Amino acid sequence: MPAEYLTFAHGALDCVARLLSVELRPGDAVAMEDPGYHHLLDLVPALGLRTVPVAVDDEGIRPDALRAALRSGARALICSPRGQNPYGGWFSAGRRDALLGVLGEAAGEVLVIEDDHAADVAGVPLHSLTTGGLARWAQVRTVSKHLGTDLRWGALACDRTTLARHDGRMVLTSGWVSHVLQETVTRLMTDPETQGLVAAARSAYARRREALLAELSAREVAAHGASGMNVWVPVRDEAAVVNGLRTRGWWVAAGARFRLSAGAGVRITTAGLGVGDAGGLAGDLAGVLGEAQVTYGG
């Protein structure tokens, strides 16, 4: 991806909030993944902006949904090229090209913000929209998913105009990202032992996610999780599934906080789920879904 213009921020949300604040005005529309990351879904309206849902599938945001959002007046797009939270989608090369085609049709200037939050542990290659010659773009990467949640550091690669606007606002607020923090992140990124741990984590996360998907498939439970650390399971009654699994010792997240107009579902975070535990969780989930179906049937 292009890296001619780089700057830093205090994490992804800090960076995205600053970009939206300097680029848009209250009432402007932002195209958002649906389902999508709940903190971003909360952030956009908190800034006085409107959210426009963009449906996703296993390859990330859908071109037809993006086209509809842009035609409705969205002036910015926030998306994840891989490890999408909570659905797990990731851009194939073909999907990336199709999305660039849609963006090329847009009337007016659209700021594209890629949140590559799980870059080092997503478990799949990157096919970035930033390689498509966009006029206005930014890609954000953080280290909280693989180096430590308290390392509040984010890197931003972007076009020249976006860099100037982001840094101009940052000078007036926090000023800069601690050089002590930057040095810590640099040393961790270049340390061979740390690199080995990150590689091992990437493989472990993939095995755990794939183990649960396989166990769910064996029980004919539809689920999505092509990359990253989450699995999304469509359900009819989120509360019934969450509460049913809780009584069996499992804690999963109701999908309501991740949705705009998408169908109901639950998010299962697989990062800490041992491969040997996948069958037990899948069996309990299938049982809970069966109980919910009986209830629906009267």
Side-chain angles (χ1 to χ4, degrees):
M1 56 173 293
E4 184 178 358
Y5 301 105
L6 295 172
T7 189
F8 304 105
H10 302 282
L13 289 171
D14 174 68
C15 182
V16 172
R18 190 173 296 109
L19 290 173
L20 294 177
S21 295
V22 299
E23 294 290 341
L24 306 182
R25 296 294 177 266
D28 283 346
V30 181
M32 307 283 294
E33 296 168 329
D34 185 25
Y37 184 44
H38 58 96
H39 286 309
L40 283 173
L41 295 180
D42 292 340
L43 172 65
V44 170
L47 295 173
L49 306 171
R50 293 185 294 113
T51 56
V52 180
V54 180
V56 302
D57 59 24
D58 292 330
E59 292 185 82
I61 56 176
R62 287 170 29 192
D64 59 329
L66 176 60
R67 181 177 288 108
L70 296 177
R71 287 178 175 174
S72 73
R75 294 194 54 217
L77 164 68
I78 304 175
C79 60
S80 299
R82 53 185 170 177
Q84 196 269 354
N85 185 355
Y87 205 90
W90 67 287
F91 294 165
S92 65
R95 175 60 58 87
R96 183 264 319 275
D97 293 344
L99 293 173
L100 286 172
V102 172
L103 288 165
E105 301 169 1
E109 199 169 73
V110 177
L111 174 63
V112 176
I113 302 174
E114 276 192 351
D115 180 13
D116 197 14
H117 59 93
D120 293 80
V121 290
V124 293
L126 172 66
H127 298 293
S128 174
L129 296 174
T130 67
T131 62
L134 299 171
R136 301 298 311 284
W137 61 273
Q139 203 213 50
V140 186
R141 293 193 186 184
T142 61
V143 295
S144 59
K145 291 293 190 296
H146 65 287
L147 294 184
T149 54
D150 282 335
L151 287 176
R152 307 311 301 165
W153 175 94
L156 171 66
C158 54
D159 63 88
R160 183 198 296 267
T161 300
T162 300
L163 175 74
R165 292 179 179 176
H166 175 277
D167 284 4
R169 177 61 61 86
M170 192 169 192
V171 166
L172 299 174
T173 54
S174 57
W176 68 89
V177 175
S178 163
H179 293 92
V180 175
L181 179 58
Q182 292 188 50
E183 180 69 19
T184 300
V185 172
T186 299
R187 291 188 178 187
L188 286 171
M189 282 184 165
T190 56
D191 175 61
E193 185 175 352
T194 302
Q195 291 173 345
L197 288 171
V198 171
R202 180 169 56 247
S203 298
Y205 292 152
R207 289 195 302 272
R208 293 168 183 176
R209 184 186 71 251
E210 291 166 0
L212 179 59
L213 289 170
E215 294 289 352
L216 290 172
S217 177
R219 292 164 175 79
E220 299 183 345
V221 175
H224 304 275
S227 63
M229 294 176 281
N230 298 293
V231 168
W232 178 262
V233 181
V235 301
R236 296 180 63 178
D237 187 333
E238 293 177 359
V241 172
V242 170
N243 292 329
L245 286 175
R246 186 182 305 167
T247 63
R248 291 165 169 79
W250 305 103
W251 186 274
V252 302
R257 65 191 306 203
F258 304 97
R259 299 187 287 111
L260 293 171
S261 61
V266 295
R267 187 192 73 171
I268 304 173
T269 300
T270 56
L273 180 68
V275 171
D277 295 324
L281 173 54
D284 285 342
L285 178 55
V288 168
L289 291 174
E291 291 173 2
Q293 183 64 39
V294 170
T295 301
Y296 274 113

PDB file of all heavy atoms in Angstrom, residues 97-127:
ATOM      1  N   ASP A  97     -11.280  -4.887  -6.309  1.00  0.00           N
ATOM      2  CA  ASP A  97     -11.409  -4.232  -7.619  1.00  0.00           C
ATOM      3  C   ASP A  97     -12.843  -3.784  -7.873  1.00  0.00           C
ATOM      4  O   ASP A  97     -13.072  -2.703  -8.437  1.00  0.00           O
ATOM      5  CB  ASP A  97     -10.947  -5.180  -8.720  1.00  0.00           C
ATOM      6  CG  ASP A  97      -9.453  -5.477  -8.648  1.00  0.00           C
ATOM      7  OD1 ASP A  97      -8.736  -4.726  -7.959  1.00  0.00           O
ATOM      8  OD2 ASP A  97      -9.011  -6.459  -9.278  1.00  0.00           O
ATOM      9  N   ALA A  98     -13.808  -4.606  -7.475  1.00  0.00           N
ATOM     10  CA  ALA A  98     -15.212  -4.238  -7.670  1.00  0.00           C
ATOM     11  C   ALA A  98     -15.576  -3.008  -6.844  1.00  0.00           C
ATOM     12  O   ALA A  98     -16.287  -2.109  -7.318  1.00  0.00           O
ATOM     13  CB  ALA A  98     -16.116  -5.415  -7.300  1.00  0.00           C
ATOM     14  N   LEU A  99     -15.084  -2.933  -5.629  1.00  0.00           N
ATOM     15  CA  LEU A  99     -15.363  -1.779  -4.780  1.00  0.00           C
ATOM     16  C   LEU A  99     -14.708  -0.515  -5.323  1.00  0.00           C
ATOM     17  O   LEU A  99     -15.298   0.576  -5.280  1.00  0.00           O
ATOM     18  CB  LEU A  99     -14.880  -2.055  -3.359  1.00  0.00           C
ATOM     19  CG  LEU A  99     -15.626  -3.152  -2.598  1.00  0.00           C
ATOM     20  CD1 LEU A  99     -14.941  -3.455  -1.274  1.00  0.00           C
ATOM     21  CD2 LEU A  99     -17.087  -2.766  -2.368  1.00  0.00           C
ATOM     22  N   LEU A 100     -13.511  -0.657  -5.858  1.00  0.00           N
ATOM     23  CA  LEU A 100     -12.851   0.498  -6.467  1.00  0.00           C
ATOM     24  C   LEU A 100     -13.644   0.994  -7.671  1.00  0.00           C
ATOM     25  O   LEU A 100     -13.732   2.202  -7.917  1.00  0.00           O
ATOM     26  CB  LEU A 100     -11.426   0.136  -6.884  1.00  0.00           C
ATOM     27  CG  LEU A 100     -10.411   0.008  -5.743  1.00  0.00           C
ATOM     28  CD1 LEU A 100      -9.092  -0.554  -6.260  1.00  0.00           C
ATOM     29  CD2 LEU A 100     -10.189   1.367  -5.067  1.00  0.00           C
ATOM     30  N   GLY A 101     -14.236   0.059  -8.403  1.00  0.00           N
ATOM     31  CA  GLY A 101     -15.074   0.455  -9.523  1.00  0.00           C
ATOM     32  C   GLY A 101     -16.274   1.267  -9.074  1.00  0.00           C
ATOM     33  O   GLY A 101     -16.634   2.268  -9.698  1.00  0.00           O
ATOM     34  N   VAL A 102     -16.896   0.851  -7.969  1.00  0.00           N
ATOM     35  CA  VAL A 102     -18.042   1.586  -7.431  1.00  0.00           C
ATOM     36  C   VAL A 102     -17.607   2.967  -6.953  1.00  0.00           C
ATOM     37  O   VAL A 102     -18.281   3.972  -7.205  1.00  0.00           O
ATOM     38  CB  VAL A 102     -18.695   0.789  -6.287  1.00  0.00           C
ATOM     39  CG1 VAL A 102     -19.769   1.626  -5.601  1.00  0.00           C
ATOM     40  CG2 VAL A 102     -19.279  -0.516  -6.812  1.00  0.00           C
ATOM     41  N   LEU A 103     -16.485   3.031  -6.268  1.00  0.00           N
ATOM     42  CA  LEU A 103     -15.993   4.317  -5.780  1.00  0.00           C
ATOM     43  C   LEU A 103     -15.662   5.253  -6.935  1.00  0.00           C
ATOM     44  O   LEU A 103     -15.831   6.473  -6.832  1.00  0.00           O
ATOM     45  CB  LEU A 103     -14.765   4.110  -4.895  1.00  0.00           C
ATOM     46  CG  LEU A 103     -15.042   3.484  -3.525  1.00  0.00           C
ATOM     47  CD1 LEU A 103     -13.756   2.995  -2.876  1.00  0.00           C
ATOM     48  CD2 LEU A 103     -15.757   4.476  -2.610  1.00  0.00           C
ATOM     49  N   GLY A 104     -15.208   4.671  -8.043  1.00  0.00           N
ATOM     50  CA  GLY A 104     -14.910   5.480  -9.217  1.00  0.00           C
ATOM     51  C   GLY A 104     -16.144   6.097  -9.844  1.00  0.00           C
ATOM     52  O   GLY A 104     -16.045   7.110 -10.554  1.00  0.00           O
ATOM     53  N   GLU A 105     -17.301   5.497  -9.590  1.00  0.00           N
ATOM     54  CA  GLU A 105     -18.556   6.026 -10.131  1.00  0.00           C
ATOM     55  C   GLU A 105     -19.121   7.164  -9.288  1.00  0.00           C
ATOM     56  O   GLU A 105     -20.027   7.880  -9.738  1.00  0.00           O
ATOM     57  CB  GLU A 105     -19.624   4.912 -10.162  1.00  0.00           C
ATOM     58  CG  GLU A 105     -19.247   3.697 -10.981  1.00  0.00           C
ATOM     59  CD  GLU A 105     -20.227   2.547 -10.734  1.00  0.00           C
ATOM     60  OE1 GLU A 105     -21.181   2.744  -9.950  1.00  0.00           O
ATOM     61  OE2 GLU A 105     -20.019   1.458 -11.304  1.00  0.00           O
ATOM     62  N   ALA A 106     -18.617   7.333  -8.072  1.00  0.00           N
ATOM     63  CA  ALA A 106     -19.221   8.265  -7.123  1.00  0.00           C
ATOM     64  C   ALA A 106     -19.107   9.701  -7.615  1.00  0.00           C
ATOM     65  O   ALA A 106     -18.076  10.124  -8.152  1.00  0.00           O
ATOM     66  CB  ALA A 106     -18.558   8.123  -5.763  1.00  0.00           C
ATOM     67  N   ALA A 107     -20.169  10.440  -7.404  1.00  0.00           N
ATOM     68  CA  ALA A 107     -20.159  11.866  -7.713  1.00  0.00           C
ATOM     69  C   ALA A 107     -19.599  12.617  -6.512  1.00  0.00           C
ATOM     70  O   ALA A 107     -20.049  12.438  -5.387  1.00  0.00           O
ATOM     71  CB  ALA A 107     -21.577  12.337  -8.018  1.00  0.00           C
ATOM     72  N   GLY A 108     -18.591  13.426  -6.723  1.00  0.00           N
ATOM     73  CA  GLY A 108     -17.989  14.164  -5.619  1.00  0.00           C
ATOM     74  C   GLY A 108     -16.887  13.364  -4.938  1.00  0.00           C
ATOM     75  O   GLY A 108     -16.653  12.192  -5.239  1.00  0.00           O
ATOM     76  N   GLU A 109     -16.219  14.006  -4.019  1.00  0.00           N
ATOM     77  CA  GLU A 109     -15.065  13.426  -3.344  1.00  0.00           C
ATOM     78  C   GLU A 109     -15.511  12.622  -2.127  1.00  0.00           C
ATOM     79  O   GLU A 109     -16.258  13.114  -1.276  1.00  0.00           O
ATOM     80  CB  GLU A 109     -14.132  14.548  -2.904  1.00  0.00           C
ATOM     81  CG  GLU A 109     -12.723  14.097  -2.604  1.00  0.00           C
ATOM     82  CD  GLU A 109     -11.802  15.286  -2.428  1.00  0.00           C
ATOM     83  OE1 GLU A 109     -11.919  15.963  -1.382  1.00  0.00           O
ATOM     84  OE2 GLU A 109     -10.987  15.556  -3.335  1.00  0.00           O
ATOM     85  N   VAL A 110     -15.074  11.374  -2.046  1.00  0.00           N
ATOM     86  CA  VAL A 110     -15.416  10.496  -0.931  1.00  0.00           C
ATOM     87  C   VAL A 110     -14.129  10.123  -0.200  1.00  0.00           C
ATOM     88  O   VAL A 110     -13.163   9.660  -0.823  1.00  0.00           O
ATOM     89  CB  VAL A 110     -16.134   9.223  -1.414  1.00  0.00           C
ATOM     90  CG1 VAL A 110     -16.410   8.285  -0.238  1.00  0.00           C
ATOM     91  CG2 VAL A 110     -17.432   9.576  -2.131  1.00  0.00           C
ATOM     92  N   LEU A 111     -14.104  10.324   1.097  1.00  0.00           N
ATOM     93  CA  LEU A 111     -12.961   9.914   1.902  1.00  0.00           C
ATOM     94  C   LEU A 111     -13.134   8.454   2.295  1.00  0.00           C
ATOM     95  O   LEU A 111     -14.123   8.100   2.946  1.00  0.00           O
ATOM     96  CB  LEU A 111     -12.838  10.780   3.154  1.00  0.00           C
ATOM     97  CG  LEU A 111     -11.753  10.352   4.151  1.00  0.00           C
ATOM     98  CD1 LEU A 111     -10.367  10.456   3.539  1.00  0.00           C
ATOM     99  CD2 LEU A 111     -11.843  11.173   5.435  1.00  0.00           C
ATOM    100  N   VAL A 112     -12.183   7.608   1.924  1.00  0.00           N
ATOM    101  CA  VAL A 112     -12.219   6.184   2.251  1.00  0.00           C
ATOM    102  C   VAL A 112     -11.258   5.928   3.401  1.00  0.00           C
ATOM    103  O   VAL A 112     -10.055   6.178   3.283  1.00  0.00           O
ATOM    104  CB  VAL A 112     -11.837   5.322   1.036  1.00  0.00           C
ATOM    105  CG1 VAL A 112     -11.788   3.844   1.421  1.00  0.00           C
ATOM    106  CG2 VAL A 112     -12.815   5.550  -0.104  1.00  0.00           C
ATOM    107  N   ILE A 113     -11.792   5.429   4.531  1.00  0.00           N
ATOM    108  CA  ILE A 113     -10.977   5.125   5.703  1.00  0.00           C
ATOM    109  C   ILE A 113     -10.979   3.620   5.903  1.00  0.00           C
ATOM    110  O   ILE A 113     -12.028   3.023   6.156  1.00  0.00           O
ATOM    111  CB  ILE A 113     -11.523   5.821   6.964  1.00  0.00           C
ATOM    112  CG1 ILE A 113     -11.582   7.331   6.763  1.00  0.00           C
ATOM    113  CG2 ILE A 113     -10.660   5.470   8.169  1.00  0.00           C
ATOM    114  CD1 ILE A 113     -12.250   8.061   7.922  1.00  0.00           C
ATOM    115  N   GLU A 114      -9.823   3.012   5.771  1.00  0.00           N
ATOM    116  CA  GLU A 114      -9.669   1.574   6.034  1.00  0.00           C
ATOM    117  C   GLU A 114      -9.147   1.378   7.451  1.00  0.00           C
ATOM    118  O   GLU A 114      -8.107   1.929   7.814  1.00  0.00           O
ATOM    119  CB  GLU A 114      -8.676   0.943   5.050  1.00  0.00           C
ATOM    120  CG  GLU A 114      -9.265   0.548   3.737  1.00  0.00           C
ATOM    121  CD  GLU A 114      -8.315  -0.337   2.922  1.00  0.00           C
ATOM    122  OE1 GLU A 114      -7.136  -0.490   3.314  1.00  0.00           O
ATOM    123  OE2 GLU A 114      -8.757  -0.868   1.907  1.00  0.00           O
ATOM    124  N   ASP A 115      -9.859   0.587   8.224  1.00  0.00           N
ATOM    125  CA  ASP A 115      -9.448   0.260   9.585  1.00  0.00           C
ATOM    126  C   ASP A 115      -8.868  -1.152   9.581  1.00  0.00           C
ATOM    127  O   ASP A 115      -9.587  -2.130   9.744  1.00  0.00           O
ATOM    128  CB  ASP A 115     -10.655   0.365  10.519  1.00  0.00           C
ATOM    129  CG  ASP A 115     -10.301   0.034  11.962  1.00  0.00           C
ATOM    130  OD1 ASP A 115      -9.105  -0.036  12.286  1.00  0.00           O
ATOM    131  OD2 ASP A 115     -11.235  -0.174  12.763  1.00  0.00           O
ATOM    132  N   ASP A 116      -7.561  -1.242   9.396  1.00  0.00           N
ATOM    133  CA  ASP A 116      -6.884  -2.550   9.339  1.00  0.00           C
ATOM    134  C   ASP A 116      -6.393  -2.918  10.738  1.00  0.00           C
ATOM    135  O   ASP A 116      -5.209  -3.114  10.976  1.00  0.00           O
ATOM    136  CB  ASP A 116      -5.724  -2.487   8.346  1.00  0.00           C
ATOM    137  CG  ASP A 116      -5.234  -3.870   7.930  1.00  0.00           C
ATOM    138  OD1 ASP A 116      -5.936  -4.858   8.178  1.00  0.00           O
ATOM    139  OD2 ASP A 116      -4.128  -3.950   7.353  1.00  0.00           O
ATOM    140  N   HIS A 117      -7.348  -2.988  11.670  1.00  0.00           N
ATOM    141  CA  HIS A 117      -7.036  -3.109  13.091  1.00  0.00           C
ATOM    142  C   HIS A 117      -6.346  -4.409  13.456  1.00  0.00           C
ATOM    143  O   HIS A 117      -5.577  -4.463  14.420  1.00  0.00           O
ATOM    144  CB  HIS A 117      -8.321  -2.976  13.916  1.00  0.00           C
ATOM    145  CG  HIS A 117      -9.350  -4.006  13.560  1.00  0.00           C
ATOM    146  ND1 HIS A 117      -9.440  -5.199  14.229  1.00  0.00           N
ATOM    147  CD2 HIS A 117     -10.289  -4.027  12.588  1.00  0.00           C
ATOM    148  CE1 HIS A 117     -10.412  -5.909  13.698  1.00  0.00           C
ATOM    149  NE2 HIS A 117     -10.951  -5.230  12.696  1.00  0.00           N
ATOM    150  N   ALA A 118      -6.602  -5.480  12.703  1.00  0.00           N
ATOM    151  CA  ALA A 118      -6.044  -6.796  13.038  1.00  0.00           C
ATOM    152  C   ALA A 118      -4.996  -7.229  12.027  1.00  0.00           C
ATOM    153  O   ALA A 118      -4.793  -8.417  11.800  1.00  0.00           O
ATOM    154  CB  ALA A 118      -7.160  -7.838  13.118  1.00  0.00           C
ATOM    155  N   ALA A 119      -4.301  -6.266  11.428  1.00  0.00           N
ATOM    156  CA  ALA A 119      -3.408  -6.553  10.309  1.00  0.00           C
ATOM    157  C   ALA A 119      -2.458  -7.724  10.557  1.00  0.00           C
ATOM    158  O   ALA A 119      -2.367  -8.643   9.743  1.00  0.00           O
ATOM    159  CB  ALA A 119      -2.602  -5.289   9.968  1.00  0.00           C
ATOM    160  N   ASP A 120      -1.767  -7.710  11.683  1.00  0.00           N
ATOM    161  CA  ASP A 120      -0.724  -8.705  11.926  1.00  0.00           C
ATOM    162  C   ASP A 120      -1.248 -10.058  12.389  1.00  0.00           C
ATOM    163  O   ASP A 120      -0.500 -11.035  12.412  1.00  0.00           O
ATOM    164  CB  ASP A 120       0.270  -8.164  12.958  1.00  0.00           C
ATOM    165  CG  ASP A 120       1.052  -6.983  12.426  1.00  0.00           C
ATOM    166  OD1 ASP A 120       0.507  -5.864  12.433  1.00  0.00           O
ATOM    167  OD2 ASP A 120       2.198  -7.177  11.984  1.00  0.00           O
ATOM    168  N   VAL A 121      -2.523 -10.125  12.770  1.00  0.00           N
ATOM    169  CA  VAL A 121      -3.070 -11.393  13.254  1.00  0.00           C
ATOM    170  C   VAL A 121      -4.373 -11.769  12.555  1.00  0.00           C
ATOM    171  O   VAL A 121      -5.083 -12.663  13.013  1.00  0.00           O
ATOM    172  CB  VAL A 121      -3.286 -11.355  14.785  1.00  0.00           C
ATOM    173  CG1 VAL A 121      -1.953 -11.354  15.514  1.00  0.00           C
ATOM    174  CG2 VAL A 121      -4.129 -10.146  15.197  1.00  0.00           C
ATOM    175  N   ALA A 122      -4.698 -11.100  11.441  1.00  0.00           N
ATOM    176  CA  ALA A 122      -5.946 -11.398  10.734  1.00  0.00           C
ATOM    177  C   ALA A 122      -5.912 -12.768  10.073  1.00  0.00           C
ATOM    178  O   ALA A 122      -6.951 -13.386   9.847  1.00  0.00           O
ATOM    179  CB  ALA A 122      -6.232 -10.321   9.684  1.00  0.00           C
ATOM    180  N   GLY A 123      -4.714 -13.239   9.738  1.00  0.00           N
ATOM    181  CA  GLY A 123      -4.581 -14.576   9.165  1.00  0.00           C
ATOM    182  C   GLY A 123      -4.833 -14.670   7.678  1.00  0.00           C
ATOM    183  O   GLY A 123      -4.895 -15.782   7.128  1.00  0.00           O
ATOM    184  N   VAL A 124      -4.976 -13.539   6.993  1.00  0.00           N
ATOM    185  CA  VAL A 124      -5.218 -13.528   5.544  1.00  0.00           C
ATOM    186  C   VAL A 124      -4.442 -12.373   4.925  1.00  0.00           C
ATOM    187  O   VAL A 124      -4.077 -11.414   5.611  1.00  0.00           O
ATOM    188  CB  VAL A 124      -6.724 -13.377   5.218  1.00  0.00           C
ATOM    189  CG1 VAL A 124      -7.506 -14.608   5.657  1.00  0.00           C
ATOM    190  CG2 VAL A 124      -7.286 -12.120   5.860  1.00  0.00           C
ATOM    191  N   PRO A 125      -4.198 -12.421   3.602  1.00  0.00           N
ATOM    192  CA  PRO A 125      -3.473 -11.328   2.945  1.00  0.00           C
ATOM    193  C   PRO A 125      -4.299 -10.045   2.892  1.00  0.00           C
ATOM    194  O   PRO A 125      -5.517 -10.050   3.082  1.00  0.00           O
ATOM    195  CB  PRO A 125      -3.222 -11.872   1.529  1.00  0.00           C
ATOM    196  CG  PRO A 125      -3.465 -13.343   1.609  1.00  0.00           C
ATOM    197  CD  PRO A 125      -4.472 -13.541   2.686  1.00  0.00           C
ATOM    198  N   LEU A 126      -3.619  -8.946   2.624  1.00  0.00           N
ATOM    199  CA  LEU A 126      -4.265  -7.647   2.488  1.00  0.00           C
ATOM    200  C   LEU A 126      -4.502  -7.318   1.022  1.00  0.00           C
ATOM    201  O   LEU A 126      -3.585  -7.380   0.212  1.00  0.00           O
ATOM    202  CB  LEU A 126      -3.391  -6.552   3.104  1.00  0.00           C
ATOM    203  CG  LEU A 126      -3.849  -5.109   2.865  1.00  0.00           C
ATOM    204  CD1 LEU A 126      -5.171  -4.842   3.575  1.00  0.00           C
ATOM    205  CD2 LEU A 126      -2.777  -4.126   3.326  1.00  0.00           C
ATOM    206  N   HIS A 127      -5.758  -6.983   0.684  1.00  0.00           N
ATOM    207  CA  HIS A 127      -6.101  -6.433  -0.630  1.00  0.00           C
ATOM    208  C   HIS A 127      -6.742  -5.075  -0.358  1.00  0.00           C
ATOM    209  O   HIS A 127      -7.944  -4.977  -0.129  1.00  0.00           O
ATOM    210  CB  HIS A 127      -7.050  -7.363  -1.390  1.00  0.00           C
ATOM    211  CG  HIS A 127      -6.466  -8.709  -1.680  1.00  0.00           C
ATOM    212  ND1 HIS A 127      -5.414  -8.894  -2.537  1.00  0.00           N
ATOM    213  CD2 HIS A 127      -6.776  -9.939  -1.195  1.00  0.00           C
ATOM    214  CE1 HIS A 127      -5.105 -10.181  -2.600  1.00  0.00           C
ATOM    215  NE2 HIS A 127      -5.910 -10.828  -1.784  1.00  0.00           N
TER     216      HIS A 127
END
